[in-house]
Amino acid sequence: MTSGISKFLCKATVTLAIMFGAGNAQANEFVTFGGGSSGGAFFTIAAGMARVVEKNVDNVQATARVTAATTENTRLLGRERIQFALAAASGPYSAASGLPPFKDERYTNVRYIATGYSSPFQIVVQADSEVQSLADLPGRRVGVLLGITAQDWFPRLAEVYGVAGKFETFELGAGELMTSLRDGNIDVAVISASAPSPAISDLATSRDVRFIPIGTEEANKMISTTHPFFYIDVIPAGTYPGQDKDVQSILNPILLITHANVSTDLVYNVTKVLLDTHHADMSAIHPNAGRFRVENAGKSMVIPPHPGAVKFYKEKGIDLK
């Protein structure tokens, strides 16, 4: 009797295994993309990436997480709480180097996947301003975007121009900066953000403004000494109303990053889907999502690349170094 029951259970197990593919099916892998605030560009792009990956990478379920963007995303990856994230290049660089805001929590396990769009320094004055260069800042009232721009990036830029401590600084949000510039409460507004910035566009549609370029010598000095994640490029003519020529600036790119313990196969497949086979889907997510391209490989790669990304780019004839 017992033997008959055992045979029955054995047959039932085999039947169920065949029905449900127990011998061959792979369990779904759950991955999370770190984004930014709900409704912001970071979160919109991260959520879109998650959808593209879940739809096109076998046995993967993906979601996006609302975060405080670069710093929190880098920290979550360093602690291996998430698998992928967006971050300005300054974040993972600082985490790997043990620099603020990661002075007491260095993370050396964060890895590079891809480079996307960039946030340029945008230094705005009214069109009739006497300020032609950052060298003209002494005695001026300068509004600087709250956060890392005001705390670290712009102070260093002022140092390389030799004007640090020679002007009055106001730390403001983007909208407040443009309102203050319009009303004459500040002489110069400094924003590091993706272009076009809605706040600057709004002002430029109602008031003639001008952009202050960053000189090559000063930019190279900043990049070579303290801020290697920046690179020199331009804000293209026509980015804003009335802007009829390119403006040289320094840009901080947005990276797609992961951590060292995510598998080579998974990172390879995610990279291939997002940058190659389904890149058209990326472009439909958000204007900046499509800027994650193979052509940007290695740009501002301030942390080691993940082996899965190296494998993908090698197939494209690109050797990440």
Side-chain angles (χ1 to χ4, degrees):
M1 182 71 173
T2 302
S3 175
I5 293 173
S6 298
K7 288 180 180 180
F8 172 78
L9 291 174
C10 182
K11 288 181 179 179
T13 301
V14 171
T15 301
L16 289 171
I18 293 172
M19 288 175 62
F20 293 100
N24 298 311
Q26 298 179 12
N28 280 342
E29 185 169 3
F30 295 88
V31 300
T32 300
F33 284 75
S37 59
S38 180
F42 260 36
F43 182 77
T44 301
I45 294 170
M49 286 180 167
R51 288 195 300 271
V52 173
V53 166
E54 182 169 272
K55 183 177 178 181
N56 298 290
V57 178
D58 291 341
N59 305 309
V60 168
Q61 288 185 254
T63 188
R65 177 168 172 170
V66 173
T67 70
T70 292
T71 298
E72 184 178 1
N73 287 344
T74 304
R75 184 174 286 119
L76 287 168
L77 280 175
R79 296 176 179 177
E80 300 187 5
R81 305 278 179 81
I82 60 176
Q83 292 72 42
F84 301 96
L86 298 178
S90 53
Y93 170 76
S94 297
S97 305
L99 299 172
F102 301 98
K103 189 174 181 180
D104 300 318
E105 48 176 337
R106 186 177 181 183
Y107 297 110
T108 60
N109 61 333
V110 182
R111 295 292 182 264
Y112 171 89
I113 297 177
T115 303
Y117 65 103
S118 299
S119 296
F121 259 88
Q122 301 171 77
I123 304 169
V124 191
V125 297
Q126 295 203 39
D128 59 357
S129 171
E130 295 179 355
V131 176
Q132 301 295 324
S133 162
L134 290 181
D136 298 329
L137 290 188
R140 310 289 179 176
R141 298 162 300 172
V142 181
V144 187
L145 185 66
L146 279 166
I148 193 70
T149 306
Q151 295 165 6
D152 179 43
W153 299 346
F154 188 69
R156 177 56 184 157
L157 190 58
E159 285 179 5
V160 301
Y161 267 91
V163 297
K166 298 181 180 180
F167 53 85
E168 191 174 3
T169 301
F170 302 86
E171 298 183 17
L172 302 167
E176 294 174 299
L177 282 170
M178 294 303 107
T179 299
S180 296
L181 183 63
R182 182 198 65 199
D183 294 344
N185 295 322
I186 59 174
D187 304 302
V188 182
V190 181
I191 292 180
S192 179
S194 59
S197 159
I200 298 176
S201 293
D202 287 347
L203 178 61
T205 58
S206 61
R207 185 70 58 89
D208 290 338
V209 298
R210 182 163 44 81
F211 292 84
I212 304 299
I214 295 175
T216 301
E217 180 181 347
E218 291 82 4
N220 281 328
K221 185 175 181 180
M222 183 172 175
I223 293 167
S224 64
T225 54
T226 54
H227 293 74
F229 43 83
F230 282 115
Y231 66 95
I232 300 173
D233 207 332
V234 299
I235 304 170
T239 300
Y240 293 102
Q243 182 201 347
D244 57 3
K245 60 182 179 179
D246 294 346
V247 179
Q248 182 166 287
S249 186
I250 53 175
L251 289 77
N252 183 21
I254 307 304
L255 308 181
L256 176 61
I257 54 179
T258 185
H259 65 72
N261 287 328
V262 177
S263 73
T264 296
D265 286 346
L266 178 58
V267 173
Y268 168 81
N269 288 330
V270 167
T271 309
K272 186 176 181 67
V273 162
L274 296 180
L275 301 191
D276 187 13
T277 57
H278 292 82
H279 186 259
D281 295 336
M282 287 280 286
S283 299
I285 293 168
H286 185 279
N288 285 330
R291 297 181 185 177
F292 284 87
R293 296 189 290 258
V294 172
E295 292 79 7
N296 291 338
K299 182 181 287 186
S300 291
M301 190 177 73
V302 290
I303 53 174
H306 192 282
V310 172
K311 178 182 176 182
F312 167 77
Y313 288 119
K314 188 173 182 180
E315 289 180 355
K316 294 294 183 181
I318 300 170
D319 184 14
L320 287 184
K321 294 181 180 179

